């Protein structure tokens, strides 16, 4: 009796394990356009969400869930990726650096989402990561100015490029290494542990900026990097706006996750781009859709289109 | 007994008393340290949890406590701009999900415990006990990954098969299944100890009176172990209420309204605390302490009521 029971339990375990294996390969039925579009999004604190919503012309949804279509699903970057391997009728968006072949990355306005197309500025669903400096001679001290100039040079090296790419953005191409140019910046050889450099601006860039300074501090005499990121608008205001730049919130380097406006004009040498942040709309591999426009995506996310067939009707 | 041996015993007693005192002091210190951590954590969450209701939150204005506790929308308006936070619907969803998962994990857990303790042949019982103990020590993120990779797919396929389009499997059902998987080992191992500690004379008495093995197991052994089994259920509920990581991977992050539809998305107090936690600042960050405070109160009330029920159910004939 007991042996029979033991045998039964073993058999049961074996069968259930086999069942696990087979259930993973269920046959997929043909795509049904009358199904509801399941809309996946990041939560309101996400920089990717802000970039995506602004990119498709739906800025109201950057930090407000109530304007989104009813029944949306909130997931993180990986969560959206995994969801698109399961949900044949879902749509989501992820950072370009995380795209792989388990999901279908959609063309945007007819342009393939590739790094090359981001670099040649044809792929549209992206935003630039920009930096802005104070005017020459307008720093708390010469040491700060020298460190800032060394930092900007560092941003153009492949060392910084690796850090940017590892943090989900796409660095501008570079073949220069820090070691080959550091001799031009004698400040990097001094002990700067009593010098504080203030970084601010876009909070979307904060993670990348902090990773960059964390790598640069030991290369430049251990200066103190102070990060206070409040938004792209403060990149100009806190470095160059005469009314603000010399108050306690003033900054030495400001970052913006958009191009600078004409009202934010400074000298050419005071600003530049360090990276692109590209976002890709993704669907399940079985979805026949391959190309979307900003208008399509906005209509999906604001609930104008609720079925996949609504997209064909366009 | 000679005077000498009495003196020796007296001396012995005196030194062992010193050891007793020392041990008592060590135990007291350990208890104070662990207790003070509870007070420290509770105190900080209490203090920080109240800040959004008392301060003006950097110009956003005080959060209305009544609205916070009753609203069925997480946030009305824009993040970082609005102070209209609400967790009413999350409290209900949390309790609903916990109850459902207990409905699965309790019978399965207790029956498994009974099987291991009384029915299974010794070698099998040993293997099963190890399996259950291993399951109990698996970190929640692993259950979460299993949930996101396997359970979501199963729920999605299941709902497609019955002609209902789920939200990619992100649902109450998936959440309940993950939580049930996580609580079954807890309930099993504690119930098993309770079942094994039932006095064998009770069992023998029942069998001698002519009751069958099965009758004895259900009517005598489970009844006698019910206090311990109830403790198992309480710990299971505690684990369900407090689970964040695994749940957040399968719940779907519902932002408004209570849904009792098993295949619709949901959210719990813990998932709300976790989502965006690493990216957010200001009131949107502080309010998560308030959610934590609400969660602690919910857990406290649940535990107190379950303990009250446990006392009424009572304990019979369980060895110390």
């Amino acid at each position: 009796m007991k042996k029979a029971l033991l045998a039964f339990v073993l058999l049961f375990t074996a069968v259930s394990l086999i069942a696990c294996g087979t259930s993973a390969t269920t046959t997929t039925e043909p795509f049904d356009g009358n199904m509801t579009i399941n809309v996946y999004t990041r939560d309101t604190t996400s920089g990717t969400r802000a970039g995506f919503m602004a990119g498709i012309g739906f800025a109201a949804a950057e930090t407000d869930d109530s304007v989104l279509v009813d029944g949306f699903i909130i997931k993180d970057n990986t969560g959206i990726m995994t969801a698109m391997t399961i949900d044949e009728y879902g749509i989501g968006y992820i950072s370009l650096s995380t795209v792989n072949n388990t999901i279908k990355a959609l063309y945007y306005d007819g342009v393939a989402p590739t790094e090359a197309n981001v670099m040649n500025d044809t792929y549209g669903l992206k935003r630039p990561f920009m930096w802005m400096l104070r005017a020459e001679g307008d720093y708390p001290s010469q040491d700060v100015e020298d460190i800032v100039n060394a930092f900007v040079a560092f941003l153009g090296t492949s060392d910084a490029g690796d850090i940017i790419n590892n943090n989900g953005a796409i660095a501008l191409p570079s073949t220069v290494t820090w070691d080959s140019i550091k001799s031009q910046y004698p400040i990097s050889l001094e002990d700067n542990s009593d010098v504080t450099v203030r970084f601010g601006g876009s909070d979307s860039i904060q993670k990348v900026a902090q990773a960059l300074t964390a790598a640069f501090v030991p290369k430049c005499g251990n200066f103190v990097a102070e990060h206070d990121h409040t938004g792209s608008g403060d990149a100009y205001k806190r470095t160059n706006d005469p009314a603000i730049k010399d108050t306690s919130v003033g900054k030495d380097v400001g970052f913006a996750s958009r191009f600078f406006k004409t009202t934010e004009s400074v000298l050419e040498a005071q600003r530049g781009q360090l990276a692109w942040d590209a976002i890709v709309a993704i669907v399940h591999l079985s979805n026949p859709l391959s190309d979307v426009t900003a208008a399509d995506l906005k209509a999906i996310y604001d609930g104008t289109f609720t079925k996949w067939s609504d997209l064909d009707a366009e | 007994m000679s005077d000498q041996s009495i003196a020796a015993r007296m001396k012995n007693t005196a030194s062992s008393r010193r050891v007793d005192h020392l041990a008592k002091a060590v135990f007291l210190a350990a208890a104070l340290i662990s207790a003070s951590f509870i007070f420290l954590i509770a105190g900080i969450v209490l203090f920080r949890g109240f800040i959004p209701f008392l301060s003006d939150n950097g110009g956003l204005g005080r959060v209305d406590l009544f609205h916070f506790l009753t609203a069925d929308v997480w946030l009305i308006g824009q993040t970082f701009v609005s102070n209209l936070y609400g967790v009413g619907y999350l409290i209900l969803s949390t309790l609903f999900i916990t109850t459902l998962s207990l409905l699965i994990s309790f019978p399965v857990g207790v029956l498994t415990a009974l099987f291991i303790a009384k029915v299974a042949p010794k070698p099998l019982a040993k293997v099963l006990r190890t399996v259950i103990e291993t399951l109990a020590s698996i970190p929640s993120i692993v259950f979460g990954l299993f949930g996101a990779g396997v359970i979501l797919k199963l729920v999605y396929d299941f709902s497609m098969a019955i002609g209902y389009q789920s939200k990619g499997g992100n649902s109450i059902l998936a959440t309940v299944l993950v939580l049930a998987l996580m609580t079954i080992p807890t309930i099993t191992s504690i119930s098993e100890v309770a079942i094994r500690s039932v006095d064998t004379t009770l069992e023998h008495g029942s069998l001698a009176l002519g009751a069958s093995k099965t009758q004895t197991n259900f009517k005598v052994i489970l009844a006698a172990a019910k206090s311990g089994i109830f403790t198992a259920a309480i710990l299971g509920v505690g684990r369900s209420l407090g689970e964040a990581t695994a749940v957040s991977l399968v719940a779907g992050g519902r932002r408004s309204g209570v849904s009792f539809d098993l295949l619709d998305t949901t959210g719990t107090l813990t998932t709300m605390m976790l989502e965006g936690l690493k990216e957010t600042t200001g009131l949107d960050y502080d309010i998560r302490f308030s959610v934590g405070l609400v969660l602690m109160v919910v857990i406290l009330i649940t535990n107190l009521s379950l303990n009250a029920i446990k006392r009424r159910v009572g304990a019979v004939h369980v060895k110390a």
Side-chain angles (χ1 to χ4, degrees):
Chain A
M1 160 62 191
K2 288 197 169 172
K3 275 199 175 139
L5 196 62
L6 191 67
F8 172 75
V9 170
L10 286 176
L11 194 70
F12 177 76
T13 320
V15 168
S16 53
L17 280 177
I18 293 164
C20 270
T22 52
S23 71
T25 55
T26 43
T27 50
T28 44
E29 293 184 5
F31 191 82
D32 179 0
N34 286 319
M35 286 291 203
T36 308
I37 305 174
N38 279 339
V39 174
Y40 290 78
T41 180
R42 302 284 304 274
D43 66 75
T44 47
T45 60
S46 157
T48 308
R49 171 167 168 158
F52 176 78
M53 295 301 176
I56 64 170
F58 194 17
E62 278 181 36
T63 54
D64 189 351
D65 285 325
S66 63
V67 294
L68 288 177
V69 58
D70 282 342
F72 61 89
I73 302 135
I74 294 183
K75 290 260 167 182
D76 60 19
N77 203 71
T78 317
I80 292 178
M81 289 275 286
T82 331
M84 287 313 123
T85 64
I86 296 172
D87 193 342
E88 295 154 86
Y89 302 101
I91 188 165
Y93 54 87
I94 55 173
S95 176
L96 175 61
S97 54
T98 51
V99 168
N100 63 26
N101 57 12
T102 63
I103 44 91
K104 189 180 201 177
L106 296 178
Y107 282 47
Y108 184 78
D109 289 332
V111 181
T114 61
E115 273 192 33
N117 287 341
V118 170
M119 289 303 169
N120 66 26
D121 210 359
T122 50
Y123 181 77
L125 193 49
K126 65 176 186 314
R127 52 184 179 164
F129 280 178
M130 310 289 292
W131 50 263
M132 178 175 276
L133 311 178
R134 296 177 81 93
E136 205 181 329
D138 189 30
Y139 288 86
S141 72
Q142 189 59 42
D143 281 351
V144 173
E145 184 164 357
D146 291 345
I147 292 173
V148 166
N149 287 331
F151 179 72
V152 167
F154 173 71
L155 289 180
T157 64
S158 57
D159 308 53
D162 289 344
I163 295 164
I164 292 168
N165 293 333
N166 285 339
N167 281 281
I170 299 163
L172 304 183
S174 167
T175 50
V176 185
T177 64
W178 173 247
D179 281 339
S180 68
I181 59 164
K182 66 179 177 189
S183 57
Q184 300 166 32
Y185 299 94
I187 185 78
S188 65
L189 302 173
E190 289 170 23
D191 175 15
N192 298 316
S193 55
D194 56 343
V195 185
T196 299
V197 182
R198 302 160 298 167
F199 297 84
S202 166
D203 37 4
S204 304
I205 306 183
Q206 182 163 3
K207 202 173 71 165
V208 174
Q210 276 176 333
L212 286 167
T213 55
F216 189 61
V217 162
K219 294 184 198 299
C220 193
N222 294 314
F223 70 94
V224 180
E226 192 181 86
H227 283 271
D228 170 28
H229 294 257
T230 45
S232 293
D234 285 329
Y236 168 80
K237 282 188 209 153
R238 296 187 173 189
T239 53
N240 284 285
D241 184 338
I244 299 169
K245 68 183 174 73
D246 297 320
T247 67
S248 61
V249 297
K251 296 285 173 274
D252 303 310
V253 180
F255 293 99
S257 49
R258 55 166 171 73
F259 286 116
F260 291 113
K261 300 174 181 171
T262 45
T263 51
E264 298 171 334
S265 81
V266 291
L267 294 174
E268 192 70 32
Q270 274 174 263
R271 60 186 161 85
Q273 186 177 355
L274 62 141
W276 285 107
D277 180 31
I279 302 155
V280 185
I282 59 167
V283 292
H284 192 270
L285 286 173
S286 72
N287 195 320
L289 185 73
S290 56
D291 192 346
V292 280
T293 62
D296 290 338
L297 289 172
K298 180 171 187 293
I300 289 172
Y301 274 85
D302 72 10
T304 313
F305 292 172
T306 56
K307 293 185 186 321
W308 282 104
S309 52
D310 293 340
L311 277 150
D312 305 331
E314 274 291 281
Chain B
M1 207 181 278
S2 72
D3 288 355
Q4 236 177 355
S5 75
I6 291 174
R9 273 182 62 192
M10 295 266 287
K11 199 178 163 196
N12 245 344
T13 328
S15 77
S16 62
R17 272 210 193 113
R18 265 202 301 280
V19 174
D20 279 351
H21 279 299
L22 192 69
K24 204 173 153 190
V26 171
F27 293 150
L28 181 69
L32 278 179
I33 289 171
S34 54
S36 62
F37 274 118
I38 293 174
F39 282 110
L40 190 70
I41 293 167
I44 287 174
V45 172
L46 204 68
F47 175 71
R48 297 211 50 174
F50 271 116
I51 287 179
F53 305 110
L54 302 175
S55 78
D56 85 331
N57 300 307
L60 296 181
R62 279 191 317 117
V63 174
D64 182 65
L65 183 60
F66 181 75
H67 176 89
F68 182 69
L69 291 176
T70 55
D72 74 340
V73 179
W74 163 243
L75 176 64
I76 300 170
Q78 291 193 19
T79 313
F80 310 123
V81 178
S82 167
N83 66 354
L84 293 169
Y85 288 91
V87 293
Y89 77 104
L90 289 172
I91 298 175
L92 289 180
S93 313
T94 305
L95 292 173
F96 181 62
I97 286 166
T98 304
T99 313
L100 286 188
S101 75
L102 191 67
L103 283 181
I104 298 175
S105 59
F106 187 69
V108 175
V110 171
L111 292 181
T112 311
L114 192 63
F115 179 78
I116 295 174
K118 293 292 170 189
V119 183
K122 278 254 160 61
L124 179 62
K126 218 171 153 186
V127 172
L128 279 180
R129 198 173 291 138
T130 317
V131 169
I132 294 291
E133 277 162 10
T134 314
L135 264 181
S137 62
I138 288 179
S140 55
I141 182 67
V142 176
F143 280 100
L145 290 175
F146 176 75
V150 178
I151 291 181
L152 284 185
K153 171 97 178 118
L154 288 177
V155 172
Y156 180 78
D157 289 345
F158 164 75
S159 67
M160 277 298 179
I162 61 166
Y164 182 94
Q165 190 188 354
S166 70
K167 308 274 184 199
N170 297 286
S171 59
I172 296 181
L173 183 60
T175 311
V176 166
L177 288 176
V178 168
L179 283 178
L181 279 181
M182 292 182 66
T183 45
I184 285 171
T186 312
I187 293 180
T188 305
S189 45
I190 295 167
S191 303
E192 200 235 328
V193 174
I195 289 168
R196 271 195 293 151
S197 60
V198 171
D199 199 333
T200 42
T201 55
L202 272 177
E203 195 183 343
H204 292 156
S206 167
L207 291 171
L209 284 170
S212 71
K213 257 280 188 193
T214 310
Q215 284 171 326
T216 307
N217 280 342
F218 280 95
K219 302 226 161 137
V220 177
I221 293 180
L222 283 190
K226 62 187 168 186
S227 173
I229 292 173
F230 219 91
T231 308
I234 293 175
L235 287 169
V237 166
R239 193 162 189 200
S240 296
L241 282 175
E243 180 48 41
T245 326
V247 173
S248 67
L249 291 172
V250 295
R254 196 178 182 82
R255 281 295 188 271
S256 62
V258 190
S259 175
F260 296 112
D261 177 350
L262 287 184
L263 291 171
D264 202 355
T265 55
T266 187
T268 65
L269 291 166
T270 47
T271 58
M272 199 60 248
M273 287 170 75
L274 192 61
E275 268 168 17
L277 179 67
K278 284 181 260 175
E279 307 232 12
T280 198
T281 54
L283 175 60
D284 199 57
Y285 179 77
D286 294 340
I287 199 78
R288 282 153 218 268
F289 283 91
S290 312
V291 180
L293 186 60
V294 170
L295 179 66
M296 278 166 53
V297 173
V298 168
I299 291 176
L300 190 69
I301 292 174
T302 316
N303 276 2
L304 287 180
S305 29
L306 286 176
N307 274 308
I309 300 172
K310 183 182 151 190
R311 269 197 301 280
R312 280 186 57 191
V313 168
V316 278
H317 302 293
V318 178
K319 272 199 282 185

